[in-house]
Amino acid sequence: MSDDNRGPGEALPRAEQRWTASAFVLVAMTIPFLLPARYAAGDAWLLPTVEGIVLLTLIVVDPGRIDRPGRWVRALSIGLVVAIAAGAAWAAGRLVWDLLHGNPQTEAADQLLVAGALVWLQTVIAFAFLYWELDGGGAVNRHLHPAEHPDVAFPQQLEPRLAAPDWRPVFFDYLYLALTNATAFSPTDVMPLSRRAKLAMASQSLLSIVILSLVVANAVNLLD
């Protein structure tokens, strides 16, 4: 499905800017401080500090647009995604445990709804970063070496007439994918093609169903 048919001297389209993804790293770093302390993996500052250090390192070694290849840059990007996903997984697991076994912090409807919404948002951001790094080997590889068979297919890739020339998905497109998959519990207009993409989307759908159903059911019981 690659559209990279340029001649030897023909320039590539401009690479993706880093600021959008960086802004949502900051959002992911903020959420643990808005949640009860028990929903943070270790101290509330631990994972946000790691994420902040990795983000700053990436900005220094690959500033502006995301276009610098290299094993260490790739490793830093994957490490950042792992840290964000670890925080989301811990918070989601703790919330589900509390809802199933009871905890004073889930016995007030307003506090439960706020905590549930923040944990759900945290998982959406984590899966957005997962899809962004998973598809075609990450933003740098998608820019320099567009995959003939991507992991997910956007409408603009399935029907190039719908997009501007040289269209490439950027972080916001993967955030949209994560959001729609978490609300519809299934693919909408973005289709998973590889098995690993199908596994990731299925996992997110199941996790989103569990979080939303348990939070809503418990909140309704508390309001009765």
Side-chain angles (χ1 to χ4, degrees), residues 8-81:
E10 196 169 351
L12 287 168
R14 300 183 75 183
E16 177 181 353
Q17 291 183 337
R18 187 174 292 281
W19 71 268
T20 304
S22 299
F24 279 93
V25 173
L26 296 178
V27 174
M29 292 169 56
T30 302
I31 290 176
F33 298 103
L34 303 177
L35 287 166
R38 65 185 283 103
Y39 295 133
D43 293 323
W45 53 265
L46 178 60
L47 284 179
T49 300
V50 172
E51 293 161 11
I53 292 172
V54 177
L55 176 60
L56 285 175
T57 305
L58 282 169
I59 291 174
V60 170
V61 299
D62 188 13
R65 295 184 179 274
I66 307 173
D67 57 4
R68 179 174 178 178
R71 183 177 300 176
W72 288 109
V73 177
R74 174 70 170 155
L76 285 170
S77 298
I78 293 175
L80 179 59
V81 175

Side-chain angles (χ1 to χ4, degrees), residues 174-189:
Y174 296 98
L175 180 64
Y176 168 80
L177 165 61
L179 179 62
T180 55
N181 194 54
T183 51
F185 311 128
S186 65
T188 53
D189 62 337

Side-chain angles (χ1 to χ4, degrees), residues 78-222:
I78 293 175
L80 179 59
V81 175
V82 168
I84 294 172
W90 178 274
R94 177 65 75 179
L95 176 65
V96 171
W97 175 271
D98 287 349
L99 290 172
L100 292 176
H101 296 86
N103 184 277
Q105 293 172 332
T106 60
E107 293 178 357
D110 55 346
Q111 296 179 11
L112 172 58
L113 290 172
V114 170
L118 288 171
V119 170
W120 182 81
L121 175 61
Q122 193 175 21
T123 64
V124 169
I125 294 174
F127 274 97
F129 277 101
L130 175 61
Y131 300 139
W132 184 60
E133 199 61 52
L134 174 74
D135 185 29
V140 174
N141 281 338
R142 285 194 301 272
H143 170 61
L144 297 176
H145 310 290
E148 183 178 358
H149 302 291
D151 293 277
V152 296
F154 291 86
Q156 295 92 331
Q157 294 169 313
L158 296 173
E159 181 48 77
R161 292 179 301 176
L162 298 177
D166 296 321
W167 184 89
R168 295 281 191 277
V170 296
F171 179 77
F172 187 84
D173 298 295
Y174 296 98
L175 180 64
Y176 168 80
L177 165 61
L179 179 62
T180 55
N181 194 54
T183 51
F185 311 128
S186 65
T188 53
D189 62 337
V190 183
M191 293 294 106
L193 301 181
S194 68
R195 291 187 178 93
R196 60 182 185 177
K198 292 176 181 179
L199 177 61
M201 291 182 69
S203 300
Q204 186 192 11
S205 295
L206 290 173
L207 179 60
S208 186
I209 289 173
V210 170
I211 291 175
L212 292 178
S213 60
L214 287 177
V215 168
V216 171
N218 280 270
V220 169
N221 288 335
L222 291 172

